[in-house]
Amino acid sequence: MGSRFVWKIVLLLLFVGWLFIWIMLPTKTYKDSWTPQLQIKLNSTYFREQGTNLLLFTFPIMLIAALSCIYLHLYSKSSSDQSTNGNKGQYFRSWKRPVLAMAPLGIVNAVELAFAAMFIALLIWSLANYVCISFGRLHMHNAGEKVWMAKFRSVFLRLGYIGNICYAFLFFPVTRLSSILPLVGLTSESSVKYHIWLGHASMALAVLHSVGFVIYYAVSHQMIEMLEWSSTYVSNMAGEIAALVAIAMWCTSLYKIRRKMFEVFFYAHQLYILYIFFYLLHVGAAYTCMILPGIFLFVIDRYLRFLQSKRRARLISARLLPCSTIELTFSKNPALTYNPTSILFVNVPSVSKLQWHPFTVVSNSNLEEDKLSVVIKCMGSWSQKLEKQLSCSPDHLQISTEGPYGPSSSHFLSRECLVMVSGGSGITPMISIIRELIYRSTQPNTKVPKVILISAFQNTADLAMIDLLLPVSSTPADISNLDLQIEAYITRENGQEHNIESAHHKQLIQTIVFKHNPNDSAISAALGPSSWLWLGAIISSSFVMFLLLLGIVTRYSIYPIERDGRLYHYSAKIIWDMFLVCASIFIATSIIFMWQKRDNEAEGKQIQNVDLPTPTGSPAGLLCGTARELESLPHQSLVQATKVHYGARPDLKRILFDCKASDVGVVVCGPQSMRHEVAKICASGLAENLHFEAISFNW
């Protein structure tokens, strides 16, 4: 415990130091006292004006990312199930209680609210200092410029500086294989809302910055300046192209458009590559170094995902449930482990070559060592096309996967009681949790919480989702040691009498077993069992390579020109930076990935064909009133633990307040209204024993 504490303190100090530089950046002290000294010591012939920003803004985060990989390799497994008992744990848990549950912010706890307030304070502090300094040293761009015009230009220029702060944080939340997010208990899925918040802030500032300068050029009769691509200073044209691309991305990412026209949002968001390119051309090399860490780590992650997605995953079987739900089962490398609520990104080229969709992994890496299963609810056009293809019982289906990605910790499994609330397809993360608890209940000296599953469905046929709680295995799962209570609510049907005949017809589950294809391989970790160590090697080696290449290019290409009094093209410097970043990442990542791929393939050849038993019974059959013989004791136990309520919605307040255990974990996944309702109940303070966690796959 002592060494872990030291690691966290070191990483925290590095991060606080990095934030301190951002706080000092807009001040007179930094501009007048620090900058001259730093330029003397750091603006060498190898890095020129980038030296200061590389050391102060880029290096600390890259060091944190590399050290975090070592920390996660050493301690992630040992800390994954630790409880947070005691007064100290109670204190920190109170900070994680939801305090806001409203659109468009979503569910926000006290920690998030505090950090959001501090971030807004940083933006206001920076803008106030920038404006104060600029007004005190106001200079006119031409003889006819008035004072108010100069001040107007200065304010909107500084809004662009403030937007750069947002970009410094923008890419961290969407880096899926991140070594930084797990340190604070986050995954890329759970932190997407931070990306949305930062995206709205950065886009608003970018639009204000652009509109302000359009107005300035109009009133000062300099509209021709909008077409300028300067060789000595920022390119106005590049900034305008970036702004137009940003507006297109921003408009299509608004909630209503994103929900109703997901494909429009998805394809428009791929313009981020074009946006980053022109944005960096606009701000220049020195300012790029200030936001480089997030982009650098994101590109590493994106390239790793690309390499992993080139593998074809071996699909073993597909189960088509009567409620328009599909369970896909893949072959998995036994060395691959993951935590409950992990997700797998799936691409089916025969449906769409470009679209990747995240689905919950419902299998358990301990119960099912050589298989991995995901559940797909057929609600959109992509999933409906997939269901149609599977209905034709194909012999083979080509699928590529990325992941799985999941939380580094399962701390909520250590509660005394666990209440899981789901709506519709929101039951899928709960399936993965229950399967993990089934495994733990069979281990000696392991205490598992009492489990209450509250599931709301629209129709009787949706009860078939409960079948997925038990894994399809030749060895029946033992749930006798698990204290499980399932309350299923059918909201759109008032009784089961008129559904018996139709339910009996619908309970047949179609199982498709696919033929083995030698080109397919078992799903395995992108970087093997020691993924964190290899990721740390990629981060450190690619960054060192970038610095070496940048030093060589600057010393022998840029410096000789500037030494002779000539100007090196302003845009050419940032193009060099972008090229060297990509080259360094591609070289380092490719070498390490191919090295690990060889080991993964060697292990994969040892995995033989996996035989799946055909399901012989369905608990949903009895739940719907059909006379169906269940041939396994686990199925009988599951039916006995389930109570079905027709024509009603769960009284969540009553259910949660009736939980008298001292430590109750509340996990919810479902529609936004359900998540917000549960969050408000837990935030009310009427029950101090409720500890809330939300799982959301729509933002």
Side-chain angles (χ1 to χ4, degrees):
M1 180 63 70
S3 59
R4 287 181 56 206
F5 180 75
V6 171
W7 272 95
K8 288 186 176 181
I9 290 296
V10 170
L11 295 172
L12 178 62
L13 289 176
L14 286 171
F15 182 71
V16 170
W18 183 70
L19 289 179
F20 179 71
I21 298 300
W22 279 104
I23 294 171
M24 294 300 297
L25 178 64
T27 63
K28 289 184 180 180
T29 301
Y30 184 90
K31 185 175 182 62
D32 296 337
S33 300
W34 292 14
T35 300
Q37 295 298 321
L38 289 169
Q39 287 178 344
I40 293 172
K41 296 178 180 179
L42 300 176
N43 290 13
S44 65
T45 58
Y46 291 96
F47 297 109
R48 305 298 287 161
E49 72 274 11
Q50 299 181 73
T52 299
N53 288 347
L54 279 172
L55 178 65
L56 297 183
F57 294 97
T58 306
F59 179 74
I61 293 298
M62 300 306 296
L63 181 60
I64 290 173
L67 293 178
S68 297
C69 291
I70 301 175
Y71 172 84
L72 291 169
H73 175 77
L74 294 174
Y75 301 112
S76 60
K77 292 183 179 180
S78 62
S79 63
S80 62
D81 304 321
Q82 286 191 351
S83 178
T84 55
N85 293 326
N87 295 330
K88 185 177 179 181
Q90 292 289 347
Y91 175 77
F92 284 109
R93 277 186 246 174
S94 64
W95 277 82
K96 293 186 177 181
R97 288 183 182 275
V99 294
L100 283 177
M102 56 183 292
L105 294 178
I107 300 170
V108 184
N109 61 37
V111 174
E112 293 169 336
L113 197 62
F115 275 99
M118 287 189 288
F119 186 77
I120 293 172
L122 174 62
L123 297 184
I124 296 173
W125 160 267
S126 300
L127 181 60
N129 277 273
Y130 278 133
V131 171
C132 180
I133 294 175
S134 66
F135 281 9
R137 305 173 184 180
L138 206 61
H139 64 279
M140 307 301 175
H141 276 199
N142 54 68
E145 188 176 34
K146 298 179 181 179
V147 173
W148 75 266
M149 290 182 184
K151 289 184 176 181
F152 184 89
R153 169 178 47 80
S154 181
V155 169
F156 284 94
L157 175 62
R158 270 64 192 182
L159 285 174
Y161 291 179
I162 303 306
N164 214 46
I165 299 176
C166 297
Y167 290 120
F169 294 86
L170 184 64
F171 291 93
F172 291 120
V174 288
T175 303
R176 293 177 190 166
L177 193 60
S178 170
S179 60
I180 295 177
L181 293 178
L183 292 179
V184 289
L186 293 174
T187 64
S188 60
E189 293 304 309
S190 63
S191 58
V192 163
K193 64 180 178 183
Y194 309 136
H195 176 75
I196 294 174
W197 296 351
L198 289 165
H200 285 311
S202 59
M203 291 299 101
L205 290 167
V207 169
L208 287 173
H209 172 73
S210 302
V211 172
F213 267 88
V214 171
I215 296 173
Y216 168 75
Y217 289 138
V219 298
S220 61
H221 308 291
Q222 302 179 68
M223 292 298 289
I224 192 64
E225 292 290 324
M226 294 181 61
L227 302 178
E228 181 187 24
W229 197 300
S230 174
S231 62
T232 60
Y233 193 54
V234 298
S235 166
N236 293 336
M237 178 65 75
E240 290 150 13
I241 296 173
L244 292 175
V245 175
I247 291 172
M249 293 171 59
W250 192 19
C251 292
T252 56
S253 66
L254 297 176
Y255 180 77
K256 290 185 178 180
I257 296 177
R258 189 172 71 245
R259 295 295 297 159
K260 294 182 179 180
M261 295 182 287
F262 178 79
E263 292 187 1
V264 174
F265 156 75
F266 177 82
Y267 290 118
H269 233 61
Q270 306 313 306
L271 295 173
Y272 75 87
I273 299 175
L274 196 63
Y275 174 68
I276 293 173
F277 179 77
F278 284 103
Y279 178 79
L280 297 184
L281 284 176
H282 178 63
V283 300
Y287 278 95
T288 294
C289 295
M290 300 169 70
I291 63 174
L292 182 59
I295 296 175
F296 201 104
L297 296 174
F298 176 78
V299 174
I300 290 177
D301 173 71
R302 192 64 193 87
Y303 186 54
L304 266 176
R305 286 156 46 193
F306 169 77
L307 293 175
Q308 187 184 22
S309 67
K310 302 307 291 182
R311 301 172 179 168
R312 293 183 182 178
R314 190 204 159 191
L315 182 62
I316 302 173
S317 68
R319 283 204 294 172
L320 277 64
L321 275 66
C323 53
S324 296
T325 301
I326 303 168
E327 181 187 31
L328 299 179
T329 300
F330 299 90
S331 175
K332 178 184 79 70
N333 191 319
L336 173 62
T337 60
Y338 46 85
N339 282 323
T341 71
S342 294
I343 61 169
L344 186 78
F345 282 79
V346 176
N347 170 258
V348 184
S350 58
V351 176
S352 173
K353 293 183 179 180
L354 296 178
Q355 290 189 36
W356 289 81
H357 292 267
F359 299 105
T360 304
V361 178
V362 297
S363 56
N364 181 271
S365 56
N366 295 305
L367 286 176
E368 303 146 285
E369 293 185 350
D370 52 4
K371 296 188 293 292
L372 184 150
S373 300
V374 299
V375 168
I376 302 172
K377 183 70 173 177
C378 301
M379 300 174 66
S381 59
W382 184 91
S383 54
Q384 289 172 356
K385 290 177 183 177
L386 176 61
E387 183 183 33
K388 186 176 180 180
Q389 287 192 13
L390 291 173
S391 299
C392 300
S393 301
D395 292 334
H396 178 259
L397 190 65
Q398 181 179 330
I399 293 183
S400 297
T401 62
E402 288 179 12
Y405 306 103
S408 59
S409 167
S410 302
H411 61 276
F412 54 86
L413 297 182
S414 61
R415 306 290 188 189
E416 182 181 347
C417 179
L418 189 61
V419 179
M420 297 184 290
V421 183
S422 68
S425 59
I427 194 176
T428 51
M430 314 309 177
I431 294 170
S432 67
I433 294 173
I434 289 179
R435 289 195 186 184
E436 173 67 17
L437 292 174
I438 290 174
Y439 166 75
R440 294 192 182 196
S441 68
T442 62
Q443 302 305 300
N445 302 320
T446 302
K447 184 179 179 181
V448 295
K450 176 185 177 180
V451 180
I452 302 174
L453 174 61
I454 313 297
S455 295
F457 301 110
Q458 292 183 351
N459 306 300
T460 304
D462 293 333
L463 284 171
M465 295 286 287
I466 297 179
D467 294 359
L468 301 175
L469 293 174
L470 297 177
V472 178
S473 174
S474 56
T475 304
D478 183 8
I479 65 172
S480 59
N481 297 326
L482 187 63
D483 187 354
L484 176 63
Q485 175 186 344
I486 303 174
E487 302 288 338
Y489 290 81
I490 311 299
T491 59
R492 293 191 177 180
E493 294 177 5
N494 294 323
Q496 69 181 104
E497 293 80 13
H498 63 284
N499 293 314
I500 293 178
E501 184 176 349
S502 61
H504 180 75
H505 174 72
K506 291 181 180 179
Q507 288 309 307
L508 298 177
I509 298 177
Q510 181 183 356
T511 302
I512 304 168
V513 179
F514 298 97
K515 293 182 179 179
H516 175 70
N517 188 311
N519 294 324
D520 298 342
S521 59
I523 294 177
S524 57
L527 296 174
S530 300
S531 293
W532 289 124
L533 280 183
W534 287 114
L535 179 61
I538 289 174
I539 292 171
S540 55
S541 61
S542 59
F543 184 61
V544 169
M545 189 184 304
F546 164 70
L547 293 178
L548 290 174
L549 293 175
L550 180 62
I552 293 172
V553 169
T554 304
R555 177 64 181 83
Y556 297 104
S557 177
I558 298 175
Y559 174 68
I561 294 176
E562 295 185 336
R563 179 187 56 191
D564 296 337
R566 293 174 291 165
L567 293 174
Y568 200 89
H569 199 289
Y570 193 84
S571 297
K573 289 185 178 181
I574 186 57
I575 290 175
W576 267 118
D577 281 9
M578 288 188 281
F579 171 75
L580 296 178
V581 165
C582 293
S584 302
I585 290 173
F586 292 169
I587 293 172
T589 305
S590 297
I591 292 174
I592 293 177
F593 180 85
M594 296 305 295
W595 181 275
Q596 286 301 306
K597 182 181 178 182
R598 184 185 63 179
D599 295 340
N600 286 335
E601 288 178 347
E603 293 179 4
K605 290 179 181 179
Q606 301 175 4
I607 303 174
Q608 304 299 321
N609 292 346
V610 181
D611 296 325
L612 288 176
T614 302
T616 56
S618 171
L622 285 185
L623 296 176
C624 297
T626 58
R628 194 174 187 84
E629 180 181 359
L630 300 179
E631 298 182 5
S632 70
L633 182 60
H635 277 164
Q636 294 177 10
S637 300
L638 195 61
V639 170
Q640 293 170 0
T642 306
K643 184 178 181 180
V644 182
H645 308 267
Y646 287 89
R649 297 183 181 275
D651 185 350
L652 296 175
K653 181 177 291 187
R654 178 189 59 80
I655 294 171
L656 293 175
F657 286 170
D658 283 347
C659 295
K660 301 304 181 183
S662 60
D663 186 15
V664 179
V666 182
V667 183
V668 58
C669 184
Q672 184 185 76
S673 57
M674 173 180 281
R675 299 197 307 271
H676 287 190
E677 180 183 358
V678 175
K680 290 176 181 177
I681 294 171
C682 295
S684 65
L686 299 176
E688 295 294 331
N689 61 336
L690 301 180
H691 306 288
F692 175 84
E693 294 208 26
I695 302 172
S696 174
F697 299 107
N698 54 69
W699 306 280

